[in-house]
Every structure is written in C-alpha cells, then in structure tokens.
Amino acid sequence: MTQTLLDDLRAIVGTRHLLTTPSQMRRFTHGYRWGEGNALAVAQPGTLVEMWKVIEASIAADAAVIAQAANTGLTGGSTPFGNDYDRPVVLVNTMRIKSLHMLGGGRQVLAFPGTTLDELETALQPLGREPHSVIGSSCLGASVIGGICNNSGGSLIRRGPAYTELALYARVTDNGRLELVNNLGISLGNDPADILRRIETKAYSENDIDWSDDKAASDPDYVRYVREIDAATPARYNADQRCLHEASGSAGKVIVFAVRLDTFEAEKETEVFYIGTNDPNDLTEIRRGMLADGASLPIAAEYIHREAFDISARYGKDTYYLVQRLGTRRLPKLFSLKSRIEAFFDRMPFTSASQVDRIMQKIADLLPSPLPERLKQFRDRFEHHLMIKVSAADAPALQTLLSQLYPKVSGDWFECTKAEGAAAFLHRFATAGAAVRYDSVHGKRTGGVIALDIALARNDREWMEKLPAEIDSRFIHKLYYGHFFCHVFHQDYLLKPGFDWMATKNAMLELLEKRNARYPAEHNVGHLYKAEETLTAHYRALDPCNCFNPGIGKTSKLKYWK
C-alpha cells in the first residue's frame, strides 16, 4: 500500500516534486524553531487540483496529512512531531501555489496556499492598501493562509488576529469521506476539481461574488476589545472562541485552498516615537491613557527589554542586515538554502547542523552595529523601551502626552527620524530569532530555549514578570519583548545547562496560570502547548477522523482520536 501511494503521488506531482529521502525532506520535516519527525514523503503540488488529488490519494491510502507552507512557525505545528503516528504521514508543502486575486478593486483579496504576507503586501502597495500584517512574520516569508489557520496576531493594533469566515477548504467527514467546502461567497459550481480549477485561473466574474454576505473577512470587533482596559481577560489569544470559525484557528485540521480577506487603507505619513524608562509604570500609564482616549488608535506599539535589546543587537544582527539590504522577499530562499547546508553538516561526522549558525555568527560579529546612536544611548540609560508608531495627524497629541509625562528621572523620549524609526522596529523584530541563534552558537553551554507566547489580561498593571529567585537562578538570559498595547508578550528564556527543560517550562506555565495569563497568544499551540478544551473541541469538530495534522496541541495522534 505504501509503495502504491508513493507511485500515485509521483504520478500527480511529478518525480521532481515528490521528496522521499531524509536529506531531501529535512527542511520540511524540521520546524523553523521547534519539532521534527519522520514522513513517508513530501509532496509539492503545483496547482490546487494537484493538491486536491494528493490529499485524495493520501486519505484513500489511510495516510495522515500535514499541510505546510513556509514552515516558519515557532511551535512546530506544521511538521511531523516524533515517530509515534499510527499511519504513514504525507507532508504537503504548498509553496508552489502562489496565485493572488484582487477583488473589488483591491478592497478584498483572494489568497492561495503559497501566497506569502510579503507578496501580498507588495501587490497591494500600488493600490495604497495593506494586508492584515506588514512586518514580523512577513520577515520570514510566512504565508497568508498560515496566519489565518493560526489566528496569528501581529504588531498592528487596529487589526487584531488574522481572521476570516470566507474560505475554501477540504475536510474529512466522520465516515471517512473527503469533501470540499466552498464558503468563499463566490459561485463556482459543485464539482471539486472544477471549483478548484475555476478559482485558481480566475474563471469567475464579479457577478459571481456575493458582496451582500454578512460573513466577516477580518476581525470586526478588535478595536473595541483592545480599548477595554479594565477587562480581566486578554484582548486576543489563540483559544479565544470569538475567533474560532472553520479555517480560522484550524491549525491544519482542515486543508485550506483559498481565503478571502479584507485589505486596509495604508497610512501615507507616519511618525515613530521612542520612549525609554526605568519604571514600567510609566509605560502602563501611556498604554492605558492612549487606549482609553477616544482618539484614533496608534498603528503599532512595540516593547523590548534591555536584555532582549542586547541579545538581539549581537545575535539578531545578521537578520537585521539581511532584511535591511535584501528586503523580506529573498529570505525564504535564503532560509531554504540554510536548511540544505544544515542537512549536509548533519550528515558529516564530528559536526552538526548548528555549525551553520556558528559560521553565520562569526561573520555577523565582524560587522559594525547598524543601530542609530540615539537608540544605543537609550539602551545605556534605560531598562524598558517602547516604540510607538502613529499617523502624522496623531503625532501632535502623542507629543503633548509625552511632554506632560517627561522629562523626569525615570525616563525620556524622542521623535525618531525616518531612519531611526525603521531601525527601531527592525531591531525589535530581529529579536524573535536571537535566543535560538544564541542557543545554537553556545551549544552545550546552554540548556536550551524556553519560548513562551503569552497574553495578559487587559487590566493587568503588573505586566513585567517577577520570577521567584529559585526559578530565576536557572536562566542565563531572559528576553522580554512584545506587542505592548495588545498586552501580548514573547518571553524567551535561555536555560543554564544541567536544569530540566520540561520541568522548568511547566513551572513557568504554573506561574502564568496564577497571573491569569493565557497562552499561546498568537503562534498557536503547535506541539509545544496543550490545547484548551475549547480549541480541542474546534479541532475535533473540523476533523472527526483525526486525518489532518494529528497530535496538534498535544492531542491524540491516532485515527478517530483513539
């Protein structure tokens, strides 16, 4: 049966696009930051019809299917995890399917499995519009549909989690039948192959699009949610039932072929303000004041702690330079090349894949610091850093607020030049991979990275973590950074060697429970977190046979959830 399935898949996608050896599959079966496992094959379909046929053949052969786009997830949710599945695993990589259709003159967009955030952003720029997210995951080449499936957040305060109720997807019913569900609001007929062919080739007219449908193509309520600063719940997190709807929050439990999304008018002129302080209450006062104010929300407000600033300045330096010099579009190919080189080193005696990171870091250490002088001066003066981007029209109000708060002993601020503002945000986003690079470079001198992605309650004033001395002593470095106004924080801990990674992580999660925090906030459960009951129920309703991405959220990997 296994050989028959491989023959069928090869006939569908061609020999070149069916990978079966461990070295060929490595960059697909190893997560960007976390997780790895065996797969029978990696299939790379080139059309939606090929993708449907691959899934159809795999389900008919009683194989589990994991759909994957750019494999940039941080919790291992788009790769196999371990080797204890009860069926062969076929990994379907969708990055060859990159169609992108503008609807209503760009008011909405139709995105396909391999469409990246960067590609969507580039396509919308001439229209003066933007997608849901414009930086962050887009720096790594993440896909649009991946964001929807994970209810991913982002840095843009006004837009909330990635969300739509308009999607075209495949599911397997409780009796094992594969079916295609068209909830795009576009009339395409009834035959699955014909629907997929028509949608991909744009063989439909504006008259086939239903604009009267009341289904949402973005989160309609987030602006109200984030402003409720006295609410005892988070503004957003992955298991929030408010944003679990079919493909949205599905985490691969259905196979998504297309999503229909709102786009947003781009701000033509913006200003960035950089704030430094040694008193975290200062930043709480700014956040609560600006959210409670009836004026328009800022565009973004990103926090970074001094220790994260330092680790990113060294171990995120090459990422900073790559994005600055090459842009985000070339990064997926560079990461793919890096993975191939890592596979080569993995096969060599007396070395490992981490050798690539060590070489890259030696090169980065030779490069000058790209950070503007005023940012480095604030690093020396202040422990806590906040950068706020606002529209030019809102800049005078923020100037007035900051002038009333400062100067005082605890902190200060300045209005960035265009170069300083770009550098501040780029440095903040380079932080995301800095702890992993540190761990790779230092090898046995660390005990690994514990990466937490948390959402604090909107009314929580004690946002800066205070660890018990016994737990705090286990860490070499602690990196705190995040989306401050949304109260979503990324917290990366570099463990000292000799300490139990899992026991320490569980102790950290217990502390978060006591703080009424929810986790994960925006990277989804992957294989790092146990899915809450609401999320598990969503998964089981979407995939009663447990055929797609089994084991996600530490759930059962067995057929029919046994």
Side-chain angles (χ1 to χ4, degrees), residues 142 378 381 471 550 553 561:
F378 263 50
R381 294 172 61 194
I471 293 180
W561 303 85

Side-chain angles (χ1 to χ4, degrees), residues 293-512:
D293 191 344
S296 61
L297 289 172
I299 298 166
E302 292 297 302
Y303 169 79
I304 183 169
H305 184 268
R306 176 190 278 158
E307 193 166 5
F309 185 109
D310 290 345
I311 297 297
S312 180
R314 181 176 179 188
Y315 296 95
K317 190 197 296 185
D318 55 341
T319 297
Y320 183 108
Y321 270 115
L322 285 170
V323 175
Q324 183 189 56
R325 301 296 172 86
L326 300 179
T328 58
R329 195 176 307 174
R330 293 187 177 94
L331 287 193
K333 290 184 178 179
L334 291 176
F335 279 113
S336 175
L337 175 61
K338 179 175 181 281
S339 184
R340 288 192 179 98
I341 298 171
E342 286 173 339
F344 170 78
F345 277 107
D346 242 359
R347 296 195 301 271
M348 299 289 287
F350 311 115
T351 188
S352 67
S354 61
Q355 186 65 31
V356 180
D357 276 318
R358 295 192 184 104
I359 293 170
M360 292 177 69
Q361 189 58 45
K362 285 184 181 297
I363 296 171
D365 286 341
L366 297 174
L367 299 173
S369 170
L371 298 178
E373 194 60 33
R374 283 204 288 184
L375 267 65
K376 291 188 283 188
Q377 290 172 357
F378 263 50
R379 177 263 166 229
D380 294 339
R381 294 172 61 194
F382 304 116
E383 181 180 0
H384 306 283
H385 298 242
L386 179 67
M387 56 214 77
I388 303 178
K389 180 184 288 187
V390 295
S391 64
D394 293 332
L398 183 52
Q399 286 174 330
T400 300
L401 174 67
L402 295 176
S403 296
Q404 291 170 347
L405 182 63
Y406 297 113
K408 60 183 182 181
V409 174
S410 63
D412 202 352
W413 66 280
F414 64 88
E415 187 170 357
C416 296
T417 65
K418 294 297 182 186
E420 287 172 331
F425 275 89
L426 183 49
H427 178 58
R428 152 64 186 89
F429 286 107
T431 309
V436 174
R437 167 62 65 78
Y438 184 105
D439 183 55
S440 292
V441 169
H442 291 278
K444 294 181 180 179
R445 287 175 287 173
T446 79
V449 180
I450 297 173
L452 301 181
D453 166 32
I454 70 168
L456 298 182
R458 285 166 281 177
N459 67 349
D460 192 345
R461 293 173 181 264
E462 300 297 323
W463 55 270
M464 189 62 206
E465 184 174 64
K466 297 179 178 66
L467 292 175
E470 189 278 325
I471 293 180
D472 191 58
S473 65
R474 302 181 193 183
F475 300 121
I476 304 167
H477 293 293
K478 305 185 297 291
L479 282 67
Y480 297 99
Y481 54 101
H483 314 304
F484 189 68
F485 278 33
C486 301
H487 253 199
V488 167
F489 292 88
H490 304 295
Q491 302 180 175
D492 297 340
Y493 307 86
L494 283 153
L495 194 63
K496 292 178 180 177
F499 287 98
D500 185 287
W501 185 93
M502 185 58 72
T504 303
K505 180 196 167 191
N506 289 338
M508 300 294 289
L509 295 182
E510 287 178 14
L511 293 174
L512 291 176

Side-chain angles (χ1 to χ4, degrees), residues 50 64 85 111 152 166 178 190 209 231 272 274 308 358 382 395 397 409 417 458 461 472 523 535 549 557-558:
E50 284 186 6
Y85 296 86
S152 297
L166 300 164
L178 181 68
N190 298 307
I209 303 173
V272 173
Y274 200 93
R358 295 192 184 104
F382 304 116
V409 174
T417 65
R458 285 166 281 177
R461 293 173 181 264
D472 191 58
H523 291 153
L535 200 53
N549 211 6
K557 293 180 179 177
L558 307 181

